[in-house]
Every structure is written in C-alpha cells, then in structure tokens.
Amino acid sequence: MIKDIFDLIEKEKKRQDENIELIASENFVSENVLKATGSILTNKYSEGYPAIRKSGNEGRYYGGCQYVDEIEEKCCELWRKVFNTDYHVNVQPHCGSSANFAAYFSVLNPGDTILSMSLNNGAHLTHGSPVSFSGKLFNMVFYEVDQNGFIDMEDVKRKALEFKPKLILAGASAYSRTIHFDKFSKIAKQVNAYFMVDMAHIAGLIAVSEHPTPFGYADLITTTTHKTLRGPRGGMIFCKNELAKKVDSAIFPFSQGGPLQHVIAGKAVAAEECLLPSYKEYIHQVVVNCKAMSDEFIKMGYSVVTGGTDNHLFLLDLTHKGITGIECQEMLDSHHITLNKNCIPNETRSPKVASGVRIGTAAMTTKGYKEKDFIEVAHKIDKYIDEYMKDKK
Ligand SMILES: *Cc1c(COP(=O)(O)O)cnc(C)c1O
C-alpha cells in the first residue's frame, strides 16, 4: 500500500528528529537539496555526457537533454569552485562505492596491485575487503597504523617499494587524524604508481581548508556527497585532466547506465551551499565540537584511539570498560543515541562485535549543537555505559 510507505517515511522522520545522531557518515540535508533530489528530473534518461563537455565522451544517447545538460555542467563547475581546482570532475557516480569502482578501472586492470590502508584500521570495504569487488578483482596489499593508531608512513614506503603497486590509495572511513597527502604522493612518484585519494569522509573539511587538500597531489580523487559535504546520497570522481576521458568512460558506459539527474541537481544545490560563508562556519564548528567531546571522554578516563582527533570523528576504545562495540551500539540505540561499533587498531574481536565505537559530530552540528551539548552527550553515554555494566553484574 502506498499509504504504508508514507506512514513509514513519517516514522523515520520522527526518528531522525528525536534521536541524537552520532553516526560519522550521516548528515541532514537542506530543504533545497531535498527539493531538487525529489524533483521530476527523476523521469529523464540522459546516458552519456553534456554536449558541451570536452573530455572526448561528450554527447547523450537520448533527445531532450538540453536542460539536464545545463544542470550537469553547472554542477561540475560548482564543485570545481568548492575545491578551488581545475581538475576534471564526473558527478554521475551513484554512490561512493561506484565512484571507487570506476576510478580503479579508469587506470587499472583486474589483477593489478593496489596498496591501501588495512581494513581493521579504518579503511572502507571498497579498499580491498574480500567481501567487496575490490578484494576479489585486485591484488590488494595493505599498510598499517603504528601502536598509537597513526598511519605508519614508513610502512607505506616499505610496502610500496616491496610490492610495486600500480595504485596507492589514501583515505578512510574511521580515521580521526590528518592524512598527509604530500607524503603519500612522494612515495607514489618514487614507485611510479598512480595516487588516489578517497576523501568520502573528510571532503567537507577539505572544502574549507580544515584539512590539507589532495588536489595537486592525487591523480584521482573520489568522494561521497552525503557525508560532511551535506548533499544528497551520491558520489563524484575528480581527476587530473589527462585522465578525464578514461574516468568518464569508466562511469559510462563501463559501470553505470543513465545518470540520476535529480541527484545531480541535488549535488549542484549542495555545492552552492558549500560556497556560503555559513558552511565554512559549520565545518569549523564540527571540528571544534569533535575535539570538545573527545577531550571530555578522555577526562572521564576513556581511551580515545590516537589520543584525540583532528577531524569530525573519533574512536572510543571500550576494551577496559568491559563492554563490546556491538553491546554499546545496541544499548545506546535503546536510549535514542545512534552510533556504530568499530574495530580498534590491533582488534582482537570480530568486526561484527568490535571493541570500539565511532562517534561523529557532523550531523548534530547541523542541528545546532555546540561544544556544551556534545559534552553533555558524552556524560549521558558514560552514565548509560555505567548503568549497563552494573545491571550486567
Ligand atoms: C562512505 C564511504 C564510501 C562509500 O560510500 P557509499 O556511498 O556508501 O557507497 C567509500 N569510501 C569511503 C572512505 C567511505 O567512507
């Protein structure tokens, strides 16, 4: 029944309104992003690329594309402006995973070697997990983090020299510290590898210079648009101009069909919002809030992986609290606090159980939370964990 679906959407809306949302990859889009993404553009087929695009793949397979052509070109232009770059950009990827799929295949063949971050230490599934296409199609080798949880650049160099990868990947889903793209790029040059950055989580910080930029260093840059960039669910690929044709072909016709023009319009609106001074203030507040909350946990005697954070997320190591990541996630869910379990460096439990949780501040900062609000939430979490452990005994 159609009504049942709309009833469920209302219930989900209420859940989103009432819960404390700490999932580091989530955010709340604006009314304008929602409006564009929910528009009649969903009716339009537009396989191919705008007629005025000059990557060698221009031209659509369908008529009636004059308006979506303008929207897609405008979207590309706006995102280049957000990242202050002249890189080529493809805004058609349906999500971050399909952006990574196409980015790999723009320069690699099955069986080629990719050097990426080890999965237990914060990488994404598409960075070589055996359950993902990446782990099945490529020869994945991994660099590790040091004892304190920081990316071990010496290990990156050692593995690069040992395995001679065709591509080196930087970027993560659960890494709370600055990633030094300049150092990665130097190593990639040394071994003649492509350098790719997956900035899905930190793209918003990069857009306003709260994190060093990969532009100028990386050959390929992928991102999602729905995390810190606060746009609709989707992906994008940026690349050096000499790779433009390869990247465009790797999206269409290689791995996708018709682009989601309603989502591309939503991405364009999100880009306009990222260019506003209020977005810069927002991201700054996200970072300030994250530090305030992680500092508070440390004050209360918790162990924070790497001892703190430079970005919008941090990892709580719950080992000495005696509660597992999954228990903590489920227990907090019952108190309307949403977060996710996460492996910690040198994890001893299975990823389904995990010894830590990941906490992010992007979503609640959108709702107006300041430092004092996040400090209050930290104390709530501490109280609930204490109560849970007492009940367990
Ligand atoms: C979220 C994420 C992705 C994948 O995004 P989806 O849109 O969920 O496919 C890829 N890479 C990283 C680093 C991510 O954090």
Side-chain angles (χ1 to χ4, degrees):
M1 297 288 267
I2 289 173
K3 183 176 171 300
D4 294 346
I5 294 297
F6 282 99
D7 284 349
L8 286 167
I9 293 175
E10 269 316 301
K11 282 186 183 155
E12 168 61 14
K13 181 174 184 306
K14 191 161 175 283
R15 190 196 66 80
Q16 290 189 15
D17 287 346
E18 290 173 358
N19 277 31
I20 296 174
E21 182 55 70
L22 300 177
I23 294 178
S25 45
E26 292 193 7
N27 215 324
F28 301 103
V29 300
S30 70
E31 283 299 319
N32 282 331
V33 168
L34 264 189
K35 208 165 141 187
T37 310
S39 72
I40 48 80
L41 291 169
T42 192
N43 299 332
K44 186 72 198 102
Y45 242 114
S46 57
E47 280 171 328
Y49 292 98
I52 39 174
R53 197 181 184 90
K54 289 181 200 75
S55 71
N57 299 55
E58 58 272 13
R60 303 280 194 187
Y61 285 63
Y62 292 90
C65 287
Q66 61 269 43
Y67 303 117
V68 294
D69 270 14
E70 271 192 62
I71 290 169
E72 189 170 336
E73 271 306 298
K74 201 152 188 54
C75 185
C76 294
E77 212 175 283
L78 285 162
W79 280 112
R80 272 194 292 265
K81 208 162 157 188
V82 168
F83 291 103
N84 192 23
T85 180
D86 59 359
Y87 272 41
H88 175 74
V89 58
N90 187 309
V91 296
Q92 292 189 2
H94 300 330
C95 63
S97 298
S98 46
N100 283 346
F101 186 90
Y104 294 150
F105 274 104
S106 70
V107 293
L108 303 179
N109 289 307
D112 283 346
T113 301
I114 299 178
L115 173 60
S116 95
M117 185 153 155
S118 70
L119 297 162
N120 276 351
N121 295 328
H124 188 258
L125 287 172
T126 56
H127 298 181
S129 163
V131 300
S132 142
F133 70 85
S134 53
K136 288 193 199 292
L137 296 179
F138 298 105
N139 175 37
M140 303 297 308
V141 291
F142 302 100
Y143 52 86
E144 305 293 335
V145 295
D146 64 21
Q147 294 131 314
N148 300 321
F150 288 80
I151 291 173
D152 183 348
M153 291 309 299
E154 281 306 312
D155 194 44
V156 177
K157 193 167 170 183
R158 206 163 33 238
K159 300 271 167 68
L161 290 168
E162 181 182 347
F163 296 109
K164 294 273 183 298
K166 205 161 165 196
L167 185 145
I168 297 178
L169 178 61
S173 303
Y175 186 70
S176 61
R177 293 299 188 166
T178 300
I179 302 176
H180 298 283
F181 301 127
D182 51 345
K183 292 183 186 162
F184 270 99
S185 152
K186 223 167 138 185
I187 295 169
K189 279 210 179 81
Q190 248 181 329
V191 298
N192 204 19
Y194 286 105
F195 176 39
M196 171 168 154
V197 170
D198 179 350
M199 62 173 184
H201 262 269
I202 51 172
L205 281 69
I206 289 167
V208 300
S209 307
E210 289 273 351
H211 186 288
T213 186
F215 288 91
Y217 294 108
D219 301 294
L220 295 152
I221 302 171
T222 56
T223 186
T224 55
T225 44
H226 48 274
K227 295 176 182 172
T228 49
L229 288 177
R230 214 161 54 176
R233 195 156 291 279
M236 297 194 284
I237 306 173
F238 293 86
C239 64
K240 292 198 168 155
N241 281 295
E242 60 265 28
L243 296 176
K245 190 171 186 326
K246 287 188 164 136
V247 163
D248 282 357
S249 311
I251 285 292
F252 177 83
F254 180 73
S255 62
Q256 288 189 177
L260 312 176
Q261 289 296 346
H262 52 304
V263 180
I264 289 174
K267 286 171 181 169
V269 172
E272 299 227 37
E273 292 175 356
C274 287
L275 290 164
L276 298 173
S278 57
Y279 180 75
K280 196 175 164 69
E281 284 161 29
Y282 158 68
I283 290 289
H284 182 68
Q285 191 65 50
V286 167
V287 174
V288 168
N289 285 344
C290 198
K291 186 156 175 15
M293 193 181 192
S294 112
D295 284 350
E296 197 64 19
F297 273 112
I298 292 168
K299 266 190 223 158
M300 290 189 289
Y302 282 78
S303 165
V304 171
V305 174
T306 73
T309 174
D310 299 324
N311 59 24
H312 64 298
L313 67 82
F314 62 94
L315 300 175
L316 272 189
D317 175 353
L318 297 167
T319 312
H320 71 287
K321 283 275 160 187
I323 186 171
T324 66
I326 185 69
E327 279 176 297
C328 185
Q329 174 189 315
E330 285 173 355
M331 179 273 292
L332 289 176
D333 234 347
S334 71
H335 294 289
H336 304 285
I337 296 176
T338 320
L339 47 64
N340 61 282
K341 64 183 186 299
N342 216 99
C343 289
I344 53 162
N346 308 311
E347 180 64 70
T348 53
R349 296 187 170 104
S350 99
K352 287 198 173 105
V353 179
S355 302
V357 291
R358 183 181 69 160
I359 294 179
T361 53
M364 292 314 287
T365 304
T366 293
K367 284 198 176 172
Y369 270 38
K370 297 282 194 290
E371 294 98 307
K372 65 171 187 356
D373 304 299
F374 279 102
I375 287 169
E376 203 174 290
V377 176
H379 283 275
K380 258 190 203 169
I381 292 174
D382 175 54
K383 187 183 96 177
Y384 292 142
I385 290 176
D386 272 354
E387 285 173 6
Y388 178 85
M389 293 314 290
K390 271 189 202 121
D391 286 351
K392 221 175 138 178
K393 273 183 199 146

